[in-house]
Amino acid sequence: RAGIALRTLVIDPQDKMAFTTFEEARKAFTAKASQSRTVNSGKAGALMGEAAALWAEADPIKTRILQLVQEGKRDQAMLAVGEDSGVLREIKQILDEAREEQDKELAAFIKENRETIFKGRLADSALLLIGITGMVVTALIVFRRILRPLDRLVSALTTM
């Protein structure tokens, strides 16, 4: 969004919405890049750090473009936009690579957790089976203790 807003500003320096959009995109990218570096680990985090560093390095170019636009030096601003666009393309390429790394890390995480969940369910099923077996054995013992005296009583009554 920042690149488009910046080009729009060069074409129409009076476009207040483009300036607002540019400033919001600038702040949003900086905030998201910082947040993403803390959330992502491994190669994806390193790539996010690289993209954020490129963004920070390109910030003076953006400031220069805004200054040239305000001074009415449209041709020089257009040249600077070309320079900024190259950096933005490089950042986009890095972000695409970081997204691929995130997808790989997510797939590995899901695979790892599926196995853990399966093992947990297997353990739960085994415990449930042991519990049911214990209840059946306990019920048989109780019924046997109850029925044994009744059998004796029935035997005593039939022999009389």
Side-chain angles (χ1 to χ4, degrees):
R1 287 184 13 202
I4 294 169
L6 207 51
R7 285 189 286 280
T8 302
L9 276 172
V10 172
I11 294 168
D12 182 10
Q14 304 304 317
D15 190 343
K16 302 279 186 219
M17 185 63 148
F19 181 76
T20 303
T21 302
F22 170 73
E23 286 300 324
E24 287 174 358
R26 188 185 227 179
K27 290 175 187 171
F29 184 88
T30 303
K32 292 288 183 184
S34 175
Q35 177 187 13
S36 182
R37 279 184 295 187
T38 59
V39 171
N40 290 301
S41 61
K43 189 173 180 183
L47 288 167
M48 290 305 297
E50 188 178 331
L54 269 175
W55 179 265
E57 287 176 22
D59 200 58
I61 299 170
K62 293 171 184 42
T63 303
R64 190 172 86 231
I65 293 169
L66 289 174
Q67 188 177 27
L68 290 169
V69 166
Q70 290 170 349
E71 293 172 2
K73 298 177 181 176
R74 186 170 180 241
D75 292 338
Q76 291 176 355
M78 286 299 280
L79 288 173
V81 165
E83 188 180 340
D84 185 59
S85 294
V87 174
L88 290 176
R89 275 191 294 278
E90 193 174 343
I91 289 172
K92 183 186 180 309
Q93 190 174 19
I94 291 170
L95 292 176
D96 288 344
E97 191 177 337
R99 184 177 304 263
E100 288 174 14
E101 283 301 317
Q102 285 176 327
D103 290 345
K104 288 177 188 175
E105 289 173 10
L106 179 62
F109 178 80
I110 289 171
K111 182 180 178 186
E112 181 181 314
N113 285 320
R114 275 189 186 153
E115 291 172 7
T116 303
I117 290 170
F118 176 74
K119 288 176 185 175
R121 286 184 179 167
L122 191 60
D124 288 347
S125 297
L127 288 173
L128 181 64
L129 186 59
I130 290 169
I132 290 172
T133 304
M135 287 176 30
V136 168
V137 168
T138 303
L140 289 174
I141 290 170
V142 168
F143 284 136
R144 189 171 175 196
R145 289 193 176 188
I146 292 172
L147 292 177
R148 203 177 270 164
L150 289 177
D151 281 343
R152 287 184 195 150
L153 179 65
V154 169
S155 292
L157 289 175
T158 54
T159 54
M160 281 193 202

PDB file of all heavy atoms in Angstrom, residues 2-3 6 22 26 29-30 50-66 80-92:
ATOM      1  N   ALA A   2       1.990   1.199   0.690  1.00  0.00           N
ATOM      2  CA  ALA A   2       2.841   2.384   0.789  1.00  0.00           C
ATOM      3  C   ALA A   2       3.360   2.792  -0.583  1.00  0.00           C
ATOM      4  O   ALA A   2       3.384   3.985  -0.913  1.00  0.00           O
ATOM      5  CB  ALA A   2       3.995   2.131   1.751  1.00  0.00           C
ATOM      6  N   GLY A   3       3.780   1.812  -1.392  1.00  0.00           N
ATOM      7  CA  GLY A   3       4.315   2.116  -2.710  1.00  0.00           C
ATOM      8  C   GLY A   3       3.279   2.754  -3.619  1.00  0.00           C
ATOM      9  O   GLY A   3       3.560   3.737  -4.318  1.00  0.00           O
ATOM     10  N   LEU A   6       2.537   6.256  -2.446  1.00  0.00           N
ATOM     11  CA  LEU A   6       3.646   7.153  -2.760  1.00  0.00           C
ATOM     12  C   LEU A   6       3.608   7.557  -4.234  1.00  0.00           C
ATOM     13  O   LEU A   6       3.785   8.737  -4.563  1.00  0.00           O
ATOM     14  CB  LEU A   6       4.965   6.453  -2.425  1.00  0.00           C
ATOM     15  CG  LEU A   6       6.150   7.313  -2.075  1.00  0.00           C
ATOM     16  CD1 LEU A   6       5.807   8.323  -0.992  1.00  0.00           C
ATOM     17  CD2 LEU A   6       7.310   6.458  -1.623  1.00  0.00           C
ATOM     18  N   PHE A  22      -0.426   6.462   2.856  1.00  0.00           N
ATOM     19  CA  PHE A  22       1.010   6.219   2.922  1.00  0.00           C
ATOM     20  C   PHE A  22       1.497   6.173   4.370  1.00  0.00           C
ATOM     21  O   PHE A  22       2.216   5.255   4.764  1.00  0.00           O
ATOM     22  CB  PHE A  22       1.785   7.295   2.143  1.00  0.00           C
ATOM     23  CG  PHE A  22       3.260   7.225   2.368  1.00  0.00           C
ATOM     24  CD1 PHE A  22       4.009   6.209   1.803  1.00  0.00           C
ATOM     25  CD2 PHE A  22       3.892   8.153   3.176  1.00  0.00           C
ATOM     26  CE1 PHE A  22       5.376   6.123   2.025  1.00  0.00           C
ATOM     27  CE2 PHE A  22       5.259   8.071   3.405  1.00  0.00           C
ATOM     28  CZ  PHE A  22       6.000   7.056   2.827  1.00  0.00           C
ATOM     29  N   ARG A  26       2.969   2.925   6.273  1.00  0.00           N
ATOM     30  CA  ARG A  26       4.331   3.017   6.818  1.00  0.00           C
ATOM     31  C   ARG A  26       4.352   2.558   8.279  1.00  0.00           C
ATOM     32  O   ARG A  26       5.181   1.732   8.672  1.00  0.00           O
ATOM     33  CB  ARG A  26       4.790   4.470   6.709  1.00  0.00           C
ATOM     34  CG  ARG A  26       6.211   4.738   7.028  1.00  0.00           C
ATOM     35  CD  ARG A  26       6.450   6.250   6.978  1.00  0.00           C
ATOM     36  NE  ARG A  26       7.639   6.570   6.238  1.00  0.00           N
ATOM     37  CZ  ARG A  26       8.056   7.798   6.035  1.00  0.00           C
ATOM     38  NH1 ARG A  26       7.368   8.825   6.475  1.00  0.00           N
ATOM     39  NH2 ARG A  26       9.169   8.020   5.374  1.00  0.00           N
ATOM     40  N   PHE A  29       3.363  -1.311   8.558  1.00  0.00           N
ATOM     41  CA  PHE A  29       4.426  -2.247   8.198  1.00  0.00           C
ATOM     42  C   PHE A  29       5.470  -2.326   9.299  1.00  0.00           C
ATOM     43  O   PHE A  29       5.903  -3.419   9.667  1.00  0.00           O
ATOM     44  CB  PHE A  29       5.101  -1.856   6.879  1.00  0.00           C
ATOM     45  CG  PHE A  29       6.138  -2.860   6.454  1.00  0.00           C
ATOM     46  CD1 PHE A  29       5.775  -3.950   5.682  1.00  0.00           C
ATOM     47  CD2 PHE A  29       7.465  -2.740   6.847  1.00  0.00           C
ATOM     48  CE1 PHE A  29       6.716  -4.897   5.314  1.00  0.00           C
ATOM     49  CE2 PHE A  29       8.409  -3.681   6.486  1.00  0.00           C
ATOM     50  CZ  PHE A  29       8.030  -4.762   5.709  1.00  0.00           C
ATOM     51  N   THR A  30       5.853  -1.190   9.824  1.00  0.00           N
ATOM     52  CA  THR A  30       6.861  -1.169  10.887  1.00  0.00           C
ATOM     53  C   THR A  30       6.377  -1.957  12.107  1.00  0.00           C
ATOM     54  O   THR A  30       7.115  -2.765  12.674  1.00  0.00           O
ATOM     55  CB  THR A  30       7.196   0.285  11.279  1.00  0.00           C
ATOM     56  OG1 THR A  30       7.632   0.982  10.103  1.00  0.00           O
ATOM     57  CG2 THR A  30       8.281   0.341  12.318  1.00  0.00           C
ATOM     58  N   GLU A  50      15.155  -9.317   8.109  1.00  0.00           N
ATOM     59  CA  GLU A  50      15.808  -8.794   6.907  1.00  0.00           C
ATOM     60  C   GLU A  50      14.886  -7.816   6.168  1.00  0.00           C
ATOM     61  O   GLU A  50      15.315  -6.746   5.719  1.00  0.00           O
ATOM     62  CB  GLU A  50      16.180  -9.968   6.000  1.00  0.00           C
ATOM     63  CG  GLU A  50      17.026  -9.613   4.815  1.00  0.00           C
ATOM     64  CD  GLU A  50      17.384 -10.843   3.984  1.00  0.00           C
ATOM     65  OE1 GLU A  50      17.466 -11.952   4.548  1.00  0.00           O
ATOM     66  OE2 GLU A  50      17.572 -10.679   2.767  1.00  0.00           O
ATOM     67  N   ALA A  51      13.604  -8.183   6.047  1.00  0.00           N
ATOM     68  CA  ALA A  51      12.633  -7.303   5.380  1.00  0.00           C
ATOM     69  C   ALA A  51      12.469  -5.997   6.151  1.00  0.00           C
ATOM     70  O   ALA A  51      12.412  -4.914   5.559  1.00  0.00           O
ATOM     71  CB  ALA A  51      11.286  -8.013   5.235  1.00  0.00           C
ATOM     72  N   ALA A  52      12.407  -6.090   7.471  1.00  0.00           N
ATOM     73  CA  ALA A  52      12.268  -4.885   8.294  1.00  0.00           C
ATOM     74  C   ALA A  52      13.497  -3.992   8.169  1.00  0.00           C
ATOM     75  O   ALA A  52      13.380  -2.757   8.130  1.00  0.00           O
ATOM     76  CB  ALA A  52      12.037  -5.266   9.753  1.00  0.00           C
ATOM     77  N   ALA A  53      14.671  -4.606   8.093  1.00  0.00           N
ATOM     78  CA  ALA A  53      15.901  -3.818   7.947  1.00  0.00           C
ATOM     79  C   ALA A  53      15.921  -3.103   6.600  1.00  0.00           C
ATOM     80  O   ALA A  53      16.292  -1.919   6.521  1.00  0.00           O
ATOM     81  CB  ALA A  53      17.125  -4.725   8.084  1.00  0.00           C
ATOM     82  N   LEU A  54      15.494  -3.799   5.541  1.00  0.00           N
ATOM     83  CA  LEU A  54      15.418  -3.160   4.219  1.00  0.00           C
ATOM     84  C   LEU A  54      14.429  -2.002   4.236  1.00  0.00           C
ATOM     85  O   LEU A  54      14.666  -0.946   3.647  1.00  0.00           O
ATOM     86  CB  LEU A  54      14.982  -4.180   3.167  1.00  0.00           C
ATOM     87  CG  LEU A  54      16.084  -4.924   2.453  1.00  0.00           C
ATOM     88  CD1 LEU A  54      15.490  -5.985   1.529  1.00  0.00           C
ATOM     89  CD2 LEU A  54      16.956  -3.988   1.659  1.00  0.00           C
ATOM     90  N   TRP A  55      13.282  -2.230   4.905  1.00  0.00           N
ATOM     91  CA  TRP A  55      12.268  -1.187   5.017  1.00  0.00           C
ATOM     92  C   TRP A  55      12.855   0.041   5.713  1.00  0.00           C
ATOM     93  O   TRP A  55      12.655   1.168   5.275  1.00  0.00           O
ATOM     94  CB  TRP A  55      11.061  -1.718   5.771  1.00  0.00           C
ATOM     95  CG  TRP A  55       9.968  -0.709   5.973  1.00  0.00           C
ATOM     96  CD1 TRP A  55       9.764   0.077   7.051  1.00  0.00           C
ATOM     97  CD2 TRP A  55       8.933  -0.366   5.046  1.00  0.00           C
ATOM     98  NE1 TRP A  55       8.675   0.879   6.879  1.00  0.00           N
ATOM     99  CE2 TRP A  55       8.136   0.629   5.656  1.00  0.00           C
ATOM    100  CE3 TRP A  55       8.594  -0.804   3.774  1.00  0.00           C
ATOM    101  CZ2 TRP A  55       7.035   1.192   5.025  1.00  0.00           C
ATOM    102  CZ3 TRP A  55       7.485  -0.246   3.159  1.00  0.00           C
ATOM    103  CH2 TRP A  55       6.722   0.735   3.778  1.00  0.00           C
ATOM    104  N   ALA A  56      13.576  -0.198   6.796  1.00  0.00           N
ATOM    105  CA  ALA A  56      14.176   0.918   7.541  1.00  0.00           C
ATOM    106  C   ALA A  56      15.231   1.633   6.691  1.00  0.00           C
ATOM    107  O   ALA A  56      15.328   2.868   6.724  1.00  0.00           O
ATOM    108  CB  ALA A  56      14.797   0.406   8.840  1.00  0.00           C
ATOM    109  N   GLU A  57      16.004   0.865   5.921  1.00  0.00           N
ATOM    110  CA  GLU A  57      17.012   1.476   5.050  1.00  0.00           C
ATOM    111  C   GLU A  57      16.364   2.304   3.955  1.00  0.00           C
ATOM    112  O   GLU A  57      16.935   3.307   3.512  1.00  0.00           O
ATOM    113  CB  GLU A  57      17.886   0.390   4.412  1.00  0.00           C
ATOM    114  CG  GLU A  57      18.860  -0.265   5.367  1.00  0.00           C
ATOM    115  CD  GLU A  57      19.634  -1.401   4.711  1.00  0.00           C
ATOM    116  OE1 GLU A  57      19.749  -1.421   3.455  1.00  0.00           O
ATOM    117  OE2 GLU A  57      20.121  -2.270   5.448  1.00  0.00           O
ATOM    118  N   ALA A  58      15.195   1.882   3.488  1.00  0.00           N
ATOM    119  CA  ALA A  58      14.504   2.583   2.402  1.00  0.00           C
ATOM    120  C   ALA A  58      13.696   3.769   2.902  1.00  0.00           C
ATOM    121  O   ALA A  58      13.223   4.578   2.105  1.00  0.00           O
ATOM    122  CB  ALA A  58      13.595   1.613   1.649  1.00  0.00           C
ATOM    123  N   ASP A  59      13.540   3.898   4.204  1.00  0.00           N
ATOM    124  CA  ASP A  59      12.733   4.990   4.751  1.00  0.00           C
ATOM    125  C   ASP A  59      13.249   6.367   4.328  1.00  0.00           C
ATOM    126  O   ASP A  59      12.446   7.244   4.000  1.00  0.00           O
ATOM    127  CB  ASP A  59      12.625   4.871   6.267  1.00  0.00           C
ATOM    128  CG  ASP A  59      11.443   5.648   6.812  1.00  0.00           C
ATOM    129  OD1 ASP A  59      10.308   5.355   6.381  1.00  0.00           O
ATOM    130  OD2 ASP A  59      11.655   6.545   7.640  1.00  0.00           O
ATOM    131  N   PRO A  60      14.570   6.590   4.321  1.00  0.00           N
ATOM    132  CA  PRO A  60      15.050   7.899   3.849  1.00  0.00           C
ATOM    133  C   PRO A  60      14.657   8.201   2.397  1.00  0.00           C
ATOM    134  O   PRO A  60      14.423   9.354   2.038  1.00  0.00           O
ATOM    135  CB  PRO A  60      16.568   7.810   4.000  1.00  0.00           C
ATOM    136  CG  PRO A  60      16.791   6.775   5.039  1.00  0.00           C
ATOM    137  CD  PRO A  60      15.660   5.802   4.883  1.00  0.00           C
ATOM    138  N   ILE A  61      14.566   7.138   1.573  1.00  0.00           N
ATOM    139  CA  ILE A  61      14.129   7.340   0.178  1.00  0.00           C
ATOM    140  C   ILE A  61      12.692   7.848   0.178  1.00  0.00           C
ATOM    141  O   ILE A  61      12.355   8.803  -0.551  1.00  0.00           O
ATOM    142  CB  ILE A  61      14.232   6.021  -0.626  1.00  0.00           C
ATOM    143  CG1 ILE A  61      15.677   5.530  -0.662  1.00  0.00           C
ATOM    144  CG2 ILE A  61      13.683   6.202  -2.035  1.00  0.00           C
ATOM    145  CD1 ILE A  61      15.835   4.121  -1.224  1.00  0.00           C
ATOM    146  N   LYS A  62      11.855   7.239   0.979  1.00  0.00           N
ATOM    147  CA  LYS A  62      10.451   7.660   1.056  1.00  0.00           C
ATOM    148  C   LYS A  62      10.349   9.108   1.554  1.00  0.00           C
ATOM    149  O   LYS A  62       9.562   9.901   1.028  1.00  0.00           O
ATOM    150  CB  LYS A  62       9.670   6.713   1.965  1.00  0.00           C
ATOM    151  CG  LYS A  62       9.534   5.311   1.426  1.00  0.00           C
ATOM    152  CD  LYS A  62       8.956   4.399   2.485  1.00  0.00           C
ATOM    153  CE  LYS A  62       8.870   2.970   2.075  1.00  0.00           C
ATOM    154  NZ  LYS A  62       9.977   2.397   1.365  1.00  0.00           N
ATOM    155  N   THR A  63      11.138   9.423   2.552  1.00  0.00           N
ATOM    156  CA  THR A  63      11.138  10.793   3.087  1.00  0.00           C
ATOM    157  C   THR A  63      11.586  11.766   2.011  1.00  0.00           C
ATOM    158  O   THR A  63      11.005  12.850   1.859  1.00  0.00           O
ATOM    159  CB  THR A  63      12.055  10.872   4.326  1.00  0.00           C
ATOM    160  OG1 THR A  63      11.604   9.907   5.282  1.00  0.00           O
ATOM    161  CG2 THR A  63      12.023  12.252   4.951  1.00  0.00           C
ATOM    162  N   ARG A  64      12.622  11.356   1.245  1.00  0.00           N
ATOM    163  CA  ARG A  64      13.109  12.234   0.164  1.00  0.00           C
ATOM    164  C   ARG A  64      12.033  12.425  -0.904  1.00  0.00           C
ATOM    165  O   ARG A  64      11.832  13.525  -1.416  1.00  0.00           O
ATOM    166  CB  ARG A  64      14.381  11.642  -0.444  1.00  0.00           C
ATOM    167  CG  ARG A  64      15.066  12.625  -1.395  1.00  0.00           C
ATOM    168  CD  ARG A  64      16.425  12.130  -1.855  1.00  0.00           C
ATOM    169  NE  ARG A  64      16.218  11.273  -3.031  1.00  0.00           N
ATOM    170  CZ  ARG A  64      16.716  10.056  -3.173  1.00  0.00           C
ATOM    171  NH1 ARG A  64      17.444   9.523  -2.223  1.00  0.00           N
ATOM    172  NH2 ARG A  64      16.485   9.368  -4.261  1.00  0.00           N
ATOM    173  N   ILE A  65      11.308  11.367  -1.225  1.00  0.00           N
ATOM    174  CA  ILE A  65      10.228  11.478  -2.222  1.00  0.00           C
ATOM    175  C   ILE A  65       9.184  12.474  -1.746  1.00  0.00           C
ATOM    176  O   ILE A  65       8.743  13.342  -2.509  1.00  0.00           O
ATOM    177  CB  ILE A  65       9.597  10.092  -2.504  1.00  0.00           C
ATOM    178  CG1 ILE A  65      10.609   9.184  -3.192  1.00  0.00           C
ATOM    179  CG2 ILE A  65       8.332  10.231  -3.342  1.00  0.00           C
ATOM    180  CD1 ILE A  65      10.194   7.734  -3.276  1.00  0.00           C
ATOM    181  N   LEU A  66       8.776  12.341  -0.484  1.00  0.00           N
ATOM    182  CA  LEU A  66       7.779  13.274   0.054  1.00  0.00           C
ATOM    183  C   LEU A  66       8.290  14.711  -0.008  1.00  0.00           C
ATOM    184  O   LEU A  66       7.553  15.640  -0.362  1.00  0.00           O
ATOM    185  CB  LEU A  66       7.426  12.903   1.494  1.00  0.00           C
ATOM    186  CG  LEU A  66       6.613  11.633   1.680  1.00  0.00           C
ATOM    187  CD1 LEU A  66       6.455  11.318   3.155  1.00  0.00           C
ATOM    188  CD2 LEU A  66       5.256  11.754   1.012  1.00  0.00           C
ATOM    189  N   ALA A  80      13.126   8.828  -7.824  1.00  0.00           N
ATOM    190  CA  ALA A  80      13.264   8.265  -6.476  1.00  0.00           C
ATOM    191  C   ALA A  80      12.224   7.171  -6.237  1.00  0.00           C
ATOM    192  O   ALA A  80      12.510   6.180  -5.551  1.00  0.00           O
ATOM    193  CB  ALA A  80      13.135   9.364  -5.432  1.00  0.00           C
ATOM    194  N   VAL A  81      11.026   7.337  -6.823  1.00  0.00           N
ATOM    195  CA  VAL A  81       9.998   6.294  -6.695  1.00  0.00           C
ATOM    196  C   VAL A  81      10.491   5.004  -7.352  1.00  0.00           C
ATOM    197  O   VAL A  81      10.267   3.908  -6.832  1.00  0.00           O
ATOM    198  CB  VAL A  81       8.647   6.748  -7.312  1.00  0.00           C
ATOM    199  CG1 VAL A  81       7.715   5.570  -7.519  1.00  0.00           C
ATOM    200  CG2 VAL A  81       7.981   7.782  -6.425  1.00  0.00           C
ATOM    201  N   GLY A  82      11.176   5.111  -8.474  1.00  0.00           N
ATOM    202  CA  GLY A  82      11.743   3.932  -9.131  1.00  0.00           C
ATOM    203  C   GLY A  82      12.733   3.226  -8.222  1.00  0.00           C
ATOM    204  O   GLY A  82      12.753   1.994  -8.133  1.00  0.00           O
ATOM    205  N   GLU A  83      13.551   3.994  -7.532  1.00  0.00           N
ATOM    206  CA  GLU A  83      14.516   3.429  -6.581  1.00  0.00           C
ATOM    207  C   GLU A  83      13.782   2.730  -5.436  1.00  0.00           C
ATOM    208  O   GLU A  83      14.131   1.615  -5.033  1.00  0.00           O
ATOM    209  CB  GLU A  83      15.389   4.561  -6.040  1.00  0.00           C
ATOM    210  CG  GLU A  83      16.535   4.129  -5.194  1.00  0.00           C
ATOM    211  CD  GLU A  83      17.351   5.320  -4.692  1.00  0.00           C
ATOM    212  OE1 GLU A  83      17.285   6.419  -5.266  1.00  0.00           O
ATOM    213  OE2 GLU A  83      18.049   5.118  -3.677  1.00  0.00           O
ATOM    214  N   ASP A  84      12.736   3.395  -4.930  1.00  0.00           N
ATOM    215  CA  ASP A  84      11.952   2.824  -3.834  1.00  0.00           C
ATOM    216  C   ASP A  84      11.217   1.569  -4.279  1.00  0.00           C
ATOM    217  O   ASP A  84      11.126   0.596  -3.533  1.00  0.00           O
ATOM    218  CB  ASP A  84      10.954   3.871  -3.317  1.00  0.00           C
ATOM    219  CG  ASP A  84      10.191   3.383  -2.102  1.00  0.00           C
ATOM    220  OD1 ASP A  84      10.847   3.064  -1.092  1.00  0.00           O
ATOM    221  OD2 ASP A  84       8.951   3.319  -2.162  1.00  0.00           O
ATOM    222  N   SER A  85      10.722   1.572  -5.519  1.00  0.00           N
ATOM    223  CA  SER A  85      10.001   0.400  -6.037  1.00  0.00           C
ATOM    224  C   SER A  85      10.906  -0.820  -6.080  1.00  0.00           C
ATOM    225  O   SER A  85      10.457  -1.939  -5.805  1.00  0.00           O
ATOM    226  CB  SER A  85       9.440   0.689  -7.428  1.00  0.00           C
ATOM    227  OG  SER A  85       8.452   1.689  -7.353  1.00  0.00           O
ATOM    228  N   GLY A  86      12.165  -0.616  -6.432  1.00  0.00           N
ATOM    229  CA  GLY A  86      13.112  -1.734  -6.446  1.00  0.00           C
ATOM    230  C   GLY A  86      13.265  -2.342  -5.060  1.00  0.00           C
ATOM    231  O   GLY A  86      13.289  -3.566  -4.901  1.00  0.00           O
ATOM    232  N   VAL A  87      13.355  -1.483  -4.056  1.00  0.00           N
ATOM    233  CA  VAL A  87      13.476  -1.964  -2.674  1.00  0.00           C
ATOM    234  C   VAL A  87      12.190  -2.676  -2.260  1.00  0.00           C
ATOM    235  O   VAL A  87      12.235  -3.730  -1.621  1.00  0.00           O
ATOM    236  CB  VAL A  87      13.798  -0.800  -1.707  1.00  0.00           C
ATOM    237  CG1 VAL A  87      13.770  -1.263  -0.267  1.00  0.00           C
ATOM    238  CG2 VAL A  87      15.148  -0.185  -2.039  1.00  0.00           C
ATOM    239  N   LEU A  88      11.042  -2.113  -2.642  1.00  0.00           N
ATOM    240  CA  LEU A  88       9.761  -2.741  -2.291  1.00  0.00           C
ATOM    241  C   LEU A  88       9.616  -4.113  -2.935  1.00  0.00           C
ATOM    242  O   LEU A  88       9.103  -5.047  -2.310  1.00  0.00           O
ATOM    243  CB  LEU A  88       8.590  -1.832  -2.689  1.00  0.00           C
ATOM    244  CG  LEU A  88       8.426  -0.560  -1.873  1.00  0.00           C
ATOM    245  CD1 LEU A  88       7.291   0.290  -2.422  1.00  0.00           C
ATOM    246  CD2 LEU A  88       8.186  -0.874  -0.409  1.00  0.00           C
ATOM    247  N   ARG A  89      10.095  -4.252  -4.176  1.00  0.00           N
ATOM    248  CA  ARG A  89      10.055  -5.570  -4.836  1.00  0.00           C
ATOM    249  C   ARG A  89      10.931  -6.568  -4.074  1.00  0.00           C
ATOM    250  O   ARG A  89      10.560  -7.725  -3.879  1.00  0.00           O
ATOM    251  CB  ARG A  89      10.510  -5.462  -6.288  1.00  0.00           C
ATOM    252  CG  ARG A  89       9.421  -5.064  -7.257  1.00  0.00           C
ATOM    253  CD  ARG A  89       9.868  -5.233  -8.698  1.00  0.00           C
ATOM    254  NE  ARG A  89      10.943  -4.322  -9.068  1.00  0.00           N
ATOM    255  CZ  ARG A  89      10.773  -3.056  -9.438  1.00  0.00           C
ATOM    256  NH1 ARG A  89       9.564  -2.548  -9.503  1.00  0.00           N
ATOM    257  NH2 ARG A  89      11.802  -2.311  -9.760  1.00  0.00           N
ATOM    258  N   GLU A  90      12.093  -6.100  -3.644  1.00  0.00           N
ATOM    259  CA  GLU A  90      12.997  -6.965  -2.882  1.00  0.00           C
ATOM    260  C   GLU A  90      12.348  -7.371  -1.547  1.00  0.00           C
ATOM    261  O   GLU A  90      12.412  -8.528  -1.142  1.00  0.00           O
ATOM    262  CB  GLU A  90      14.312  -6.223  -2.627  1.00  0.00           C
ATOM    263  CG  GLU A  90      15.418  -7.108  -2.140  1.00  0.00           C
ATOM    264  CD  GLU A  90      16.750  -6.372  -2.033  1.00  0.00           C
ATOM    265  OE1 GLU A  90      16.908  -5.287  -2.627  1.00  0.00           O
ATOM    266  OE2 GLU A  90      17.622  -6.896  -1.332  1.00  0.00           O
ATOM    267  N   ILE A  91      11.689  -6.421  -0.895  1.00  0.00           N
ATOM    268  CA  ILE A  91      10.995  -6.718   0.373  1.00  0.00           C
ATOM    269  C   ILE A  91       9.877  -7.727   0.123  1.00  0.00           C
ATOM    270  O   ILE A  91       9.711  -8.679   0.882  1.00  0.00           O
ATOM    271  CB  ILE A  91      10.448  -5.425   1.020  1.00  0.00           C
ATOM    272  CG1 ILE A  91      11.612  -4.587   1.547  1.00  0.00           C
ATOM    273  CG2 ILE A  91       9.465  -5.745   2.138  1.00  0.00           C
ATOM    274  CD1 ILE A  91      11.212  -3.201   2.022  1.00  0.00           C
ATOM    275  N   LYS A  92       9.124  -7.528  -0.958  1.00  0.00           N
ATOM    276  CA  LYS A  92       8.031  -8.456  -1.281  1.00  0.00           C
ATOM    277  C   LYS A  92       8.571  -9.853  -1.508  1.00  0.00           C
ATOM    278  O   LYS A  92       8.005 -10.846  -1.022  1.00  0.00           O
ATOM    279  CB  LYS A  92       7.262  -7.989  -2.514  1.00  0.00           C
ATOM    280  CG  LYS A  92       6.078  -8.897  -2.837  1.00  0.00           C
ATOM    281  CD  LYS A  92       5.424  -8.508  -4.128  1.00  0.00           C
ATOM    282  CE  LYS A  92       4.246  -9.379  -4.465  1.00  0.00           C
ATOM    283  NZ  LYS A  92       4.462 -10.804  -4.433  1.00  0.00           N
TER     284      LYS A  92
END
